[in-house]
Structure formats: C-alpha cells, structure tokens
Amino acid sequence: QVQLMESGGTSVQAGGSLRLSCAASGYTGLNRCMAWFRQAPGKEREGVAQIFVGSGSTSYADSVKGRFTISQDNAKNTVDLQMYSLKPEDSAIYYCAQKQPWYGGTCPRTATQYNFWGQGTQVTVSS
C-alpha cells in the first residue's frame, strides 16, 4: 500500500524560501509520477509541479515557474519541492500525490488523475 507523508510546511514571510519533502513508501518503482498540489481555502486543488520518476522530467504551473523546483531522491524515496520568492498567494495546504502506473511523457496536472495522496502540510506566507 502506497503511503505518502509530507513535511516542511510552516509560516514564512514574503520573499522567503521553504523546502517541502514527501516521503513515499509502498510502490516506489520508476513507472510513476509524483506531484505537488496545493489548495487554498475556497479554491480548487491546483497542480504545482510534477516529476516523472523514470526520467526525472519535470513540469510546472505557470504561477510557480522559475520560483519552485521539484526534485527526487530515488535512494531515499523522497520528492522535494524547493520554493523561492514566496508570495502571500502561495499560501495553501500543499499535498504530495502519486500516479501509477505511468510510462512516460508529461505527467498529468489534474488532481483526479492521481491515485494516492498525502495528508498535506500547511504553508503560510505573510506579507
């Protein structure tokens, strides 16, 4: 059974940086996508960044491109989200998600396509 556990969420000031981590257990093979989503109060869950574990190829939402970086450590079975130049509008609960199987191409960006989810970690950016 796949389990995902996020960590690293906290409160930061605008312009600051933060690193989130997602530890995966269960299926940890190469044929999967890992992604970070976020959801602010009253808003839909938004795909922030995705990575295809098999190749390491990444994709990002336009709103975070150039500020966020998703990365993986296959030895530790972790996927991190490094966030720079944080803005108040980045405040949300951040979720780690896994989609399997996935054999290549750009990972999906919609929440409904992901099979497994973590419980989320709160990020609050104050102005």
Side-chain angles (χ1 to χ4, degrees):
Q1 182 177 352
V2 172
Q3 290 188 321
L4 305 173
M5 182 171 295
E6 304 95 338
S7 62
T10 190
S11 298
V12 296
Q13 289 195 327
S17 61
L18 196 59
R19 189 176 185 92
L20 305 181
S21 187
C22 172
S25 62
Y27 177 75
T28 55
L30 297 179
N31 296 326
R32 59 190 167 112
C33 287
M34 298 296 296
W36 285 94
F37 287 79
R38 66 186 181 187
Q39 189 165 20
K43 294 190 176 181
E44 292 188 354
R45 194 165 293 192
E46 173 193 19
V48 173
Q50 302 82 32
I51 187 166
F52 173 48
V53 176
S55 68
S57 64
T58 59
S59 53
Y60 298 90
D62 288 343
S63 58
V64 306
K65 204 170 290 183
R67 299 189 298 122
F68 290 11
T69 301
I70 188 171
S71 62
Q72 62 185 14
D73 184 330
N74 290 345
K76 296 181 179 179
N77 294 323
T78 57
V79 174
D80 289 356
L81 185 69
Q82 178 68 55
M83 304 184 290
Y84 296 103
S85 301
L86 284 162
K87 306 174 181 180
E89 51 264 42
D90 294 319
S91 297
I93 299 175
Y94 282 71
Y95 297 92
C96 177
Q98 178 167 308
K99 175 174 177 61
Q100 66 190 61
W102 191 259
Y103 299 107
T106 303
C107 288
R109 302 189 179 194
T110 54
T112 54
Q113 297 191 61
Y114 282 78
N115 316 77
F116 302 98
W117 292 86
Q119 295 200 339
T121 186
Q122 177 73 49
V123 173
T124 303
V125 184
S126 57
S127 57

